[in-house]
Amino acid sequence: MEFQDVVRKRRMVRNFHADRPVPKESLDRILHNATRGPSAGFSQGQAFLVLEGEDLAKFWALRPMNNGVSNAPLVIVPFACKRVYLDRYAEPDKGWADRDESRWPVPFWHIDTGMAALLILQTVVDEGLGALYFGIMPDNVAPFREQYGVPDDHEPIGAIAIGYSDEPEQSGSPRKRGRRETADVVHYGRW
């Protein structure tokens, strides 16, 4: 698929075919591409939890969804690890041995993990699949960590349900709400 087609076709899918698993080759490509995103200082402070089968059933029990999203045969949870970034920037070539978070203009551990999530969403489209990015609610994070043995220093930035779409080509928000005009969001030289 051409890149512009991937960008144009990428949308959130909320209904999945329950009986169509994601091919292993597709999953492998999705995960490989997720690791190819930008990473400040090449820190590589992301991790991914892949949930299928019984592991996925336990996830939905923690976060019930009363719609077709829970039919998705696969969920990938991307994690950001701030410690990895602070450790990397304390190395001699970076020189921030004090590990002071105030040096960071924004939390790049979240941004880089968000970029990895976007690579997952784009690869999903390129594989002919659908996906939905959604949050893990704050009250569910501690039980989620305990259920899957997630280290304390790894922060889930959301979850991505993946599978074969079981909804019309154009549905959801794009039908109800138009995209903002480029001229309304892009500013040249000054606001």
Side-chain angles (χ1 to χ4, degrees):
M1 186 178 299
E2 292 293 321
F3 181 71
Q4 284 306 119
D5 292 333
V6 169
V7 171
R8 183 179 50 77
K9 289 183 176 190
R10 200 233 30 92
R11 64 185 180 85
M12 297 302 174
V13 172
R14 289 167 178 78
N15 290 297
F16 295 91
H17 286 283
D19 58 346
R20 293 186 68 191
V22 172
K24 181 176 180 345
E25 300 78 25
S26 295
L27 174 58
D28 290 346
R29 184 166 175 251
I30 289 165
L31 293 168
H32 173 78
N33 287 356
T35 67
R36 305 296 298 175
S39 176
F42 206 45
S43 299
Q44 304 173 76
Q46 295 79 40
F48 307 92
L49 179 63
V50 178
L51 301 174
E52 298 174 290
E54 286 302 312
D55 294 324
L56 182 54
K58 293 174 188 175
F59 176 82
W60 292 126
L62 289 172
R63 192 193 191 288
M65 299 279 264
N66 296 324
N67 57 30
V69 173
S70 59
N71 288 335
L74 169 67
V75 166
I76 298 174
V77 181
F79 294 86
C81 186
K82 173 174 56 176
R83 175 192 48 79
V84 171
Y85 285 78
L86 298 179
D87 289 350
R88 170 65 182 109
Y89 275 76
E91 291 178 16
D93 66 318
K94 296 296 182 189
W96 295 355
D98 59 6
R99 300 170 48 88
D100 184 0
E101 287 182 50
S102 69
R103 294 180 183 273
W104 293 85
V106 293
F108 275 83
W109 39 93
H110 291 152
I111 292 168
D112 290 352
T113 306
M115 290 187 202
L118 179 58
L119 285 170
I120 289 171
L121 294 171
Q122 290 178 325
T123 306
V124 163
V125 172
D126 199 40
E127 288 290 316
L129 300 164
L132 174 70
Y133 173 87
F134 58 95
I136 298 175
M137 301 309 288
D139 290 346
N140 292 338
V141 172
F144 168 78
R145 285 181 181 285
E146 185 176 332
Q147 177 78 42
Y148 296 105
V150 176
D152 290 339
D153 64 355
H154 281 66
E155 182 179 2
I157 65 150
I160 304 169
I162 301 170
Y164 288 93
S165 175
D166 189 22
E167 59 185 37
E169 179 72 23
Q170 184 72 6
S171 65
S173 297
R175 276 209 161 163
K176 299 173 190 160
R177 182 181 171 131
R179 187 170 302 278
R180 290 177 65 190
E181 294 294 325
T182 302
D184 292 337
V185 297
V186 176
H187 310 278
Y188 294 92
R190 67 178 285 145
W191 210 264

